[in-house]
Amino acid sequence: MDASAAGPGPLTATYDRIGVGYRDVRRADPRLAALIDQALGGARTVVNVGAGAGSYEPAGREVTAVDPSQVMLDQHPGARKVLAGAERLPFADGAFDAAMAVMTVHHWPDLRRGLAELRRVSRRQVLFTYDPYHRPELWLLTEYLPEIGAFERARFTPLATVVAAMDAHTVLPFPIPHDFTDGFQSAYWRRPELFLDPDVRRANSTFAQLPAAVVEPAIERLRADLASGAWHRRHADLLALDAVDYGYRLLVAGG
């Protein structure tokens, strides 16, 4: 199933550019997948909004993937794929038992309208997102790229606002395990050497939208600190931890 309800825009252009090879880095982590699956409850039909390449879509349910980027949908293995933005979902009221949205609401041009669309087409809504005001921050932001922190505070809506807008009745913290397999920004908090890999950075929308003149000198400073042992001396405490809460939350609304 295909539909075209979203024209080109900054989000589409970004993911058309970084989408190639995205699945190689952004591999669904089974621990987060299990949490999302549990939150979906008994839903048989699910719409995944901002689906990308299909990470975290539950097995054994009828899932329809929605994304504004054709490059991302081309990597999606499912049979039900719709080219559309969150703010204009081409479905009837109550068409699905549940809607899910994973690490995508910060890209939506109109968050409240997108959330209203999720409520319109589904009985239950499950959303995984990030609070940019949570502390502690990832060391990458505080020591090497404060521009990322500023960028994310500009594009991520504060968590309390999202909770209120979707009328969430459940807010679950998700501390990031040290061996998390999904390569979004905080996944490598205990594996700093992976930030040196351009393929890893390319699969992260934050890096993709910052100029090379900002990113490359910071990465060279990190490379030097890893080579000298300075990073490991500063962060010896992190190396003893199995997981850290960096502000990622699973929100559930509806019945």
Side-chain angles (χ1 to χ4, degrees), residues 139 188 190-198 200-201 219 222-223 226 231-232 239:
W139 52 263
Y188 305 124
R190 214 179 84 174
R191 295 170 288 170
E193 65 282 355
L194 289 176
F195 284 117
L196 306 181
D197 185 339
V200 166
R201 300 196 303 274
I219 294 302
L222 173 59
R223 190 188 308 276
L226 291 174
W231 185 93
H232 292 83
L239 299 176

Side-chain angles (χ1 to χ4, degrees), residues 23-99:
R23 291 185 68 188
D24 295 337
V25 175
R26 302 299 296 270
R27 293 176 290 114
D29 187 276
R31 291 155 291 193
L32 179 54
L35 187 66
I36 292 170
D37 189 55
Q38 182 179 19
L40 288 168
R44 182 183 64 85
T45 58
V46 178
V47 59
N48 184 12
V49 179
S55 296
Y56 303 108
E57 291 183 356
R61 305 179 198 251
E62 183 181 296
V63 180
T64 298
V66 175
D67 200 275
S69 168
Q70 188 63 55
V71 170
M72 298 304 296
L73 285 180
D74 286 345
Q75 297 182 72
H76 192 291
R80 302 177 182 86
K81 298 186 283 189
V82 176
L83 185 68
E87 296 83 2
R88 293 176 58 200
L89 297 177
F91 309 113
D93 295 358
F96 301 94
D97 296 329

Side-chain angles (χ1 to χ4, degrees), residues 107-192:
H107 293 304
W108 298 357
D110 188 333
L111 172 70
R112 292 182 184 276
R113 184 174 174 183
L115 292 176
E117 280 288 89
L118 262 60
R119 291 195 301 273
R120 181 183 66 79
V121 303
S122 68
R123 172 179 53 82
R124 186 178 184 86
Q125 300 82 46
V126 175
L127 190 154
F128 185 68
T129 190
Y130 161 73
D131 181 3
Y133 296 96
H134 178 85
R135 296 296 180 269
E137 283 186 293
L138 179 67
W139 52 263
L140 182 73
L141 281 59
T142 56
E143 297 172 20
Y144 298 95
L145 281 164
E147 294 87 354
I148 289 181
F151 180 65
E152 296 203 329
R153 285 187 290 275
R155 68 176 182 156
F156 274 87
T157 303
L159 184 71
T161 303
V162 180
V163 170
M166 71 180 291
D167 195 21
H169 55 68
T170 302
V171 180
L172 298 174
F174 184 77
I176 304 298
H178 72 92
D179 55 352
F180 196 63
T181 62
D182 190 344
F184 57 70
Q185 185 174 279
S186 295
Y188 305 124
W189 60 268
R190 214 179 84 174
R191 295 170 288 170

